[in-house]
Amino acid sequence: ASLHSVDGHRVAGSRDFDSLGQPRRDDVAVLDEASARRLKDGLDGQPFTAKLYAGDGEARLLQEIVLGLGGWRALEALGHEVDVLHLNEGHAAFVVLPRIWALLEAGRSFDEAVAEVRRTTVFTTHTPVPAGIDRFPRELMERYFTNWCREVGVSMDELMELGHEPETAEGETFNLVGEPCLTAQQYL
């Protein structure tokens, strides 16, 4: 693997061969701890990316914000234009938010933006059981997404509706698997 820099961050690239035996270069963006620290300096002095599947809901939400929003920024920094987005599991589900934002900035309504993202997103999961689904209370979503909602011009209720879980009161809990299911054309 070779390393190069994108916007001051190290990115690994690997050489591989396609099905016809032709060399192919795939970029792998590494969202490292130093990058994550710039977004938030950890929780109580503890880095929130130090442990996968952190038990604390706030640390888990921060991990998924970094993966989703940071993942989209990495794709942009690498110059990738995305026509169809495939999400496997809910971990990177917040990647749909900058896609919605870009469509809003282009003059689409919120409903039109969600419909377009839905048309160009596929979601798959191998853990369709309640224990495998991250859920976040509204107060935690408000803590980390109020500014985003304000900047984008979307209400917190609209954001919460994207992750609405049918068995819960409306706007009470954000279901991270519910969000991609509601913003994906199909899920498998």
Side-chain angles (χ1 to χ4, degrees):
S2 61
L3 289 176
H4 58 280
S5 180
V6 174
D7 194 28
H9 304 296
R10 291 173 11 149
V11 178
S14 63
R15 270 235 178 280
D16 202 349
F17 297 90
D18 65 17
S19 61
L20 300 175
Q22 298 297 312
R24 179 180 72 208
R25 180 161 189 262
D26 295 318
D27 290 322
V28 178
V30 179
L31 302 176
D32 58 31
E33 180 66 25
S35 298
R37 245 183 264 120
R38 289 193 327 195
L39 296 175
K40 173 100 168 92
D41 228 352
L43 300 170
D44 299 325
Q46 299 299 311
F48 60 87
T49 58
K51 181 179 177 188
L52 187 61
Y53 302 118
D56 174 72
E58 186 172 16
R60 190 80 181 123
L61 177 61
L62 289 171
Q63 288 176 340
E64 293 175 354
I65 289 170
V66 168
L67 187 58
L69 302 181
W72 186 257
R73 288 180 180 171
L75 290 172
E76 288 180 322
L78 292 168
H80 293 294
E81 293 184 21
V82 177
D83 295 320
V84 175
L85 189 63
H86 173 213
L87 299 176
N88 181 37
E89 300 297 332
H91 309 304
F94 290 126
V95 73
V96 302
L97 298 181
R99 296 181 78 211
I100 290 171
W101 190 352
L103 292 165
L104 291 170
E105 287 183 330
R108 303 268 185 102
S109 71
F110 181 71
D111 290 339
E112 291 169 335
V114 170
E116 177 63 15
V117 168
R118 182 176 227 273
R119 189 184 71 74
T120 59
T121 304
V122 176
F123 174 74
T124 56
T125 184
H126 60 268
T127 52
V129 295
I133 299 170
D134 286 317
R135 294 169 181 84
F136 302 108
R138 183 183 183 106
E139 67 183 42
L140 201 52
M141 292 296 292
E142 286 175 343
R143 184 176 310 152
Y144 291 99
F145 286 99
T146 295
N147 288 338
W148 184 86
C149 288
R150 189 177 304 120
E151 287 181 41
V152 176
V154 171
S155 72
M156 183 57 67
D157 288 337
E158 288 172 307
L159 176 63
M160 292 299 292
E161 183 60 31
L162 291 178
H164 177 67
E165 187 170 7
E167 298 82 34
T168 63
E170 195 169 315
E172 179 181 295
T173 303
F174 191 92
N175 176 331
L176 207 57
V177 169
E179 186 261 344
C181 289
L182 291 171
T183 57
Q185 180 177 14
Q186 59 185 357
Y187 62 98
L188 312 168

